[in-house]
Amino acid sequence: MSQAQESRAQVGPPLWLLAEVTYRCPLQCPYCSNPLDFAQSDQELSTEQWVSVLRQGRAMGAAQLGFSGGEPLVRQDLPELIAEARLLGYYTNLITSGIGLNEAKVESFREAGLDHIQVSFQASDPELNNAVAGSRKAFEQKLAMARAVKDAGYPMVLNFVIHRHNIHQMEDIIDLCERLGADYVELATCQYYGWAFKNREGLMPSAAQLEVAEREVNARRQTLAEAGSAMKLIFVTPDYYEVRPKACMNGWGSLFLTVAPDGTALPCHSARLLPIEFPNVKDQSLKSIWYDSPGFNHYRGDSWMPEPCRSCDEKDRDFGGCRCQAYLLTGDADNADPVCDKSPHHDRILAARRAADHATAGLEELTYRNARNSRLFFRG
């Protein structure tokens, strides 16, 4: 058996396929994880090309499928893609801002076989939510669509990206979720990629803010349990406040396969920021991409690891951490994730924490995807 064949035999199939069907979005959130130059990505895959991707992924063993973006609702062929995914046997999840959704679309998605809808909010009140989203009607639209999703029989899954400007709203956010009848609530503290990295100093909560928020969430978990509530609260701590890195994507090219709007295949949705050439589904089969492409094999295993990761007894748990984070913070994606306190670059994480303790930037000082629209919004 050749080395390439041996390497291929050790790699399992992708179990989770993320179809980023578009980078287009009516909102302009300053923590968006999409590429900074995503407005230039106008070569989206056609319906037929996406159908081919879904069929190839399922044939390889992918079982879960996420439709994401941008805002996937801007794709007029979304019901057709959902129906194809149902025929193929995927468990499907739509990740949406709710903008552009209506009751007729919710029903069409249900009839097409969609399993799951996750609706995102920016805050618990209209003023802050709309300021972050850059839309004066976003909050009311989200409320209406969350209710429509619940009425259609879907489990209600709500997502709030948490940052220094809304982290004080934990009690109000959970109250809102209770009123809406949420089943699962993801309180996902901002992770710093894309626009969020550009705006990190204005978004990152202080250690004191984070401590209060975690305490409030834990208290509400206990209260909900005592009341017999089935609502689950999932609080995601920002990487920058950990001392060990996350096992990013459960390991590079291990379980997750992302296909970007233009067909670029990625081990994670942020990986295109790395100085690595990734293949495109227009040019190669998904199977060849997953098993054989240099991009997907680049950080598999541990032979690529420098010290201190190479000799670390924890490398099989965290796989060296996040390659994108290592690149953004050190300029070299091979380095240990600076989140780890064993990293020689951990001081950059500590410096970011200190900066967060003294940050004063308001929302109007952040850089938004559409800077012109954000200036108009804040000026009224």
Side-chain angles (χ1 to χ4, degrees):
M1 181 182 292
S2 69
Q3 184 176 356
Q5 289 173 321
E6 184 177 359
S7 174
R8 181 167 177 159
Q10 294 173 351
V11 177
L15 300 180
W16 216 104
L17 177 62
L18 180 64
E20 291 189 310
V21 292
T22 184
Y23 282 147
R24 291 176 287 160
C25 183
L27 304 184
Q28 54 169 332
C29 307
Y31 48 72
C32 181
S33 61
N34 284 338
L36 297 182
D37 61 349
F38 78 93
Q40 301 174 21
S41 301
D42 57 357
Q43 302 298 318
E44 294 179 2
L45 295 182
S46 67
T47 304
E48 293 73 22
Q49 288 169 322
W50 273 118
V51 167
S52 176
V53 168
L54 301 187
R55 290 175 178 172
Q56 291 179 64
R58 190 72 183 103
M60 292 169 64
Q64 295 197 55
L65 171 65
F67 290 106
S68 181
E71 175 48 69
L73 295 173
V74 306
R75 290 282 301 220
Q76 297 305 304
D77 58 356
L78 191 55
E80 184 177 345
L81 298 179
I82 292 169
E84 179 66 26
R86 165 58 64 183
L87 287 173
L88 291 169
Y90 282 104
Y91 181 89
T92 51
N93 179 25
L94 173 63
I95 304 165
T96 176
S97 69
I99 306 303
L101 195 60
N102 55 45
E103 292 181 1
K105 286 185 178 180
V106 172
E107 180 60 23
S108 73
F109 296 156
R110 189 186 67 79
E111 291 178 353
L114 184 67
D115 294 297
H116 186 118
I117 301 178
Q118 175 181 300
V119 179
S120 66
F121 280 78
Q122 280 70 34
S124 61
D125 68 281
E127 183 178 2
L128 182 54
N129 185 99
N130 296 347
V132 174
S135 170
R136 297 188 184 281
K137 298 180 179 180
F139 187 73
E140 292 304 320
Q141 168 73 6
K142 288 171 181 288
L143 286 180
M145 289 306 99
R147 294 184 180 112
V149 167
K150 184 76 172 182
D151 291 343
Y154 286 104
M156 181 180 284
V157 182
L158 302 181
N159 171 272
F160 291 77
V161 176
I162 305 300
H163 46 82
R164 70 179 301 109
H165 301 287
N166 67 1
I167 197 168
H168 64 284
Q169 292 189 335
M170 284 299 167
E171 292 282 358
D172 293 336
I173 286 172
I174 298 170
D175 286 344
L176 172 64
C177 294
E178 281 197 277
R179 292 196 300 272
L180 290 172
D183 298 292
Y184 299 92
V185 180
E186 184 179 37
L187 304 164
T189 311
C190 198
Q191 306 292 352
Y192 301 101
Y193 309 96
W195 292 88
F197 185 76
K198 189 176 184 69
N199 288 307
R200 188 184 69 193
E201 289 192 14
L203 290 172
M204 188 168 161
S206 68
Q209 286 178 308
L210 186 64
E211 182 182 353
V212 171
E214 287 187 298
R215 186 166 61 244
E216 290 175 344
V217 171
N218 287 334
R220 287 300 291 271
R221 282 196 185 112
Q222 182 173 345
T223 301
L224 289 168
E226 291 171 352
S229 172
M231 187 170 79
K232 304 297 183 186
L233 301 179
I234 303 164
F235 188 85
V236 183
T237 304
D239 292 354
Y240 280 54
Y241 283 100
E242 301 286 1
V243 295
R244 288 290 181 274
K246 62 190 174 189
C248 192
M249 310 307 291
N250 205 52
W252 181 278
S254 173
L255 296 177
F256 296 89
L257 195 164
T258 296
V259 179
D262 63 357
T264 302
L266 303 163
C268 80
H269 71 280
S270 296
R272 69 187 310 156
L273 65 83
L274 299 174
I276 297 173
E277 184 174 350
F278 290 104
N280 195 293
V281 298
K282 298 173 186 175
D283 306 317
Q284 290 180 243
S285 72
L286 212 57
K287 187 174 184 179
S288 172
I289 287 171
W290 178 257
Y291 289 106
D292 303 325
S293 69
F296 273 77
N297 282 301
H298 201 96
Y299 289 116
R300 280 178 171 146
D302 58 17
S303 61
W304 60 271
M305 290 182 178
E307 295 294 350
C309 296
R310 180 180 291 273
S311 57
C312 180
D313 60 5
E314 298 180 66
K315 66 182 178 183
D316 292 332
R317 292 200 292 271
D318 61 37
F319 314 108
C322 175
R323 298 301 90 219
C324 297
Q325 204 150 253
Y327 179 71
L328 286 169
L329 289 169
T330 74
D332 186 346
D334 289 2
N335 285 331
D337 187 336
V339 164
C340 184
D341 65 1
K342 298 180 183 181
S343 164
H345 301 100
H346 186 63
D347 61 305
R348 302 184 189 190
I349 293 293
L350 300 179
R353 293 181 196 172
R354 290 192 295 269
D357 284 337
H358 300 94
T360 59
L363 280 174
E364 68 280 0
E365 297 174 69
L366 301 177
T367 301
Y368 290 77
R369 175 176 63 86
N370 188 327
R372 179 177 179 275
N373 278 359
S374 65
R375 285 195 297 270
L376 292 173
F377 188 94
F378 286 111
R379 288 174 183 169

